[in-house]
């Protein structure tokens, strides 16, 4: 709903008070997401490493949260440089204090732990934020080698590694995908120059039906898999559906995590909510 719009810490808004009021009337809390991805000319490094600019960003987030009667704030700062680690953690500290003073829940989105993302310092985040969200997806992505968006092993390891870094399980929210990437690759399966298209659950099923592809269950990936050839190009699809989501929800439950989140609303088949509600209600 909000994004960093310049290198001074100013924020642009896409928020809707009507939407917030509708959610509140139906007993649903609203956490506004603040992102650093929308404006490529806005330097996250510049903002996070300068006290005045960082404080400007914090103050604008809080002002917008109050203006739109939000219940919480969700920070989604991605693709940061390692050198910005200290400034980023200071941003989380400063934002957390003002969120607490204004009765706002603070959650922070994170990649699954890797050596290259250690500077996000998840354990320190957990000291200040209410929730640490694991983005348990994009294991493979456009431009990577072909593979699942979120195989069950990737998800399990992401949870285990986050806990091992010092984030209490009861503060972890497990993010899961409602989307599937259709991977197009060369027929020889040797050198993947992979391109991919992200599709929602229903669109994937239509695509498979159109191409006569039959899916089968992959125990290794914890999801259904299908492939087909169209115009000499092989397409490989690791499918997200109710069955794959259920395994991920079981990981959430078995580890005693705080809850689940999903990217993103509208890409799911409505029937998956019958599965989700068994684990989150």
């Amino acid at each position: 709903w909000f994004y960093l719009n310049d290198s001074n810490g100013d924020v642009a808004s896409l928020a809707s008070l009507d939407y917030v009021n509708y959610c509140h009337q139906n007993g649903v809390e609203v956490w506004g997401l603040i992102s650093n991805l929308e404006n490529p000319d806005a330097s996250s490094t510049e903002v996070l490493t300068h006290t005045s600019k960082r404080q400007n960003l914090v103050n604008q987030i809080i002002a917008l949260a109050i203006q739109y009667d939000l219940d919480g704030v969700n920070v989604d700062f991605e693709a940061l440089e390692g050198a910005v680690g200290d400034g980023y953690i200071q941003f989380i500290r400063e934002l957390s204090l003002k969120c607490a003073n204004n009765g706002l829940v603070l959650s922070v989105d994170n990649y699954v732990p890797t050596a290259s993302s250690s500077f996000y310092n998840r354990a320190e985040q957990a000291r200040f934020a209410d929730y640490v969200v694991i983005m348990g997806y994009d294991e493979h992505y456009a431009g990577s080698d072909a593979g699942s968006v979120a195989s069950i092993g990737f998800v399990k390891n992401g949870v285990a590694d986050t806990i091992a870094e010092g984030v209490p399980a009861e503060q972890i929210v497990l993010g899961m995908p409602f989307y599937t990437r259709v991977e197009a690759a060369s027929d020889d399966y040797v050198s993947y120059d992979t391109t991919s298209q992200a599709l929602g659950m229903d669109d994937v099923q239509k695509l498979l039906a159109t191409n006569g592809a039959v899916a089968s269950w992959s125990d290794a990936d914890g999801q259904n898999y299908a492939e087909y050839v169209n115009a000499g190009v092989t397409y490989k699809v690791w499918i997200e559906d109710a069955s794959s989501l259920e395994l991920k929800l079981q990981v959430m439950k078995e580890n005693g995590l705080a809850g689940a989140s999903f990217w993103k609303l509208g890409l799911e088949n409505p029937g998956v909510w019958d599965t989700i509600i068994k684990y989150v209600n």
Side-chain angles (χ1 to χ4, degrees):
W1 262 11
F2 312 115
Y3 61 89
L4 183 64
N5 200 34
D6 60 30
S7 299
N8 293 314
D10 294 318
V11 174
S13 173
L14 302 171
S16 164
L17 187 57
D18 287 343
Y19 182 86
V20 175
N21 290 336
Y22 174 80
C23 288
H24 286 171
Q25 289 164 10
N26 287 277
V28 177
E29 291 188 11
V30 180
W31 300 356
L33 184 150
I34 171 73
S35 169
N36 69 328
L37 299 176
E38 277 67 27
N39 187 341
D41 295 325
S43 171
S44 301
T45 299
E46 178 73 15
V47 173
L48 295 175
T49 56
H50 289 80
T51 301
S52 60
K53 296 180 179 184
R54 192 173 59 237
Q55 290 178 346
N56 181 42
L57 172 60
V58 168
N59 289 337
Q60 290 201 30
I61 293 170
I62 296 299
L64 286 163
I66 293 170
Q67 177 183 346
Y68 287 97
D69 195 24
L70 300 181
D71 305 285
V73 173
N74 174 253
V75 175
D76 185 28
F77 272 41
E78 301 183 31
L80 295 176
E81 302 170 352
V84 80
D86 289 344
Y88 176 68
I89 290 300
Q90 187 60 23
F91 164 59
I92 298 301
R93 292 188 187 109
E94 293 166 358
L95 181 59
S96 73
L97 295 174
K98 293 209 171 185
C99 282
N101 289 339
N102 288 278
L104 296 164
V105 175
L106 176 60
S107 60
V108 185
D109 299 342
N110 284 273
Y111 303 113
V112 300
T114 60
S116 62
S117 67
S118 60
F119 67 88
Y120 276 86
N121 201 339
R122 297 162 187 83
E124 188 69 6
Q125 287 181 31
R127 292 184 59 201
F128 294 91
D130 297 289
Y131 298 103
V132 172
V133 184
I134 301 174
M135 296 184 290
Y137 39 78
D138 280 350
E139 177 183 5
H140 298 87
Y141 47 88
S144 78
D145 56 344
S148 172
V149 162
S151 68
I152 193 62
F154 174 80
V155 173
K156 286 181 176 179
N157 290 338
V159 171
D161 292 345
T162 300
I163 293 172
E165 284 193 353
V167 180
E170 61 269 19
Q171 282 182 255
I172 296 174
V173 174
L174 179 56
M176 304 170 227
F178 277 159
Y179 65 93
T180 292
R181 287 196 179 276
V182 178
E183 309 279 1
S186 58
D187 278 334
D188 57 17
Y189 297 94
V190 175
S191 177
Y192 283 102
D193 179 14
T194 305
T195 57
S196 67
Q197 178 185 15
L199 296 176
M201 292 181 175
D202 289 343
D203 286 340
V204 165
Q205 294 302 326
K206 292 175 184 175
L207 183 69
L208 296 178
T210 298
N211 287 277
V214 178
S216 59
W217 183 257
S218 167
D219 283 327
D221 296 302
Q223 56 197 147
N224 284 301
Y225 170 80
E227 64 179 66
Y228 60 90
V229 177
N230 188 324
V233 177
T234 298
Y235 293 85
K236 310 180 84 174
V237 191
W238 287 260
I239 303 163
E240 293 296 344
D241 54 22
S243 297
S244 65
L245 278 181
E246 183 149 29
L247 291 187
K248 297 173 176 65
L249 288 160
Q250 288 171 2
V251 173
M252 178 200 75
K253 186 172 183 179
E254 290 164 1
N255 285 277
L257 305 186
S261 62
F262 305 92
W263 187 266
K264 65 179 178 173
L265 192 66
L267 294 180
E268 80 280 14
N269 175 282
V272 303
W273 293 106
D274 294 332
T275 300
I276 292 168
I277 204 165
K278 292 192 298 184
Y279 292 88
V280 300
N281 190 15

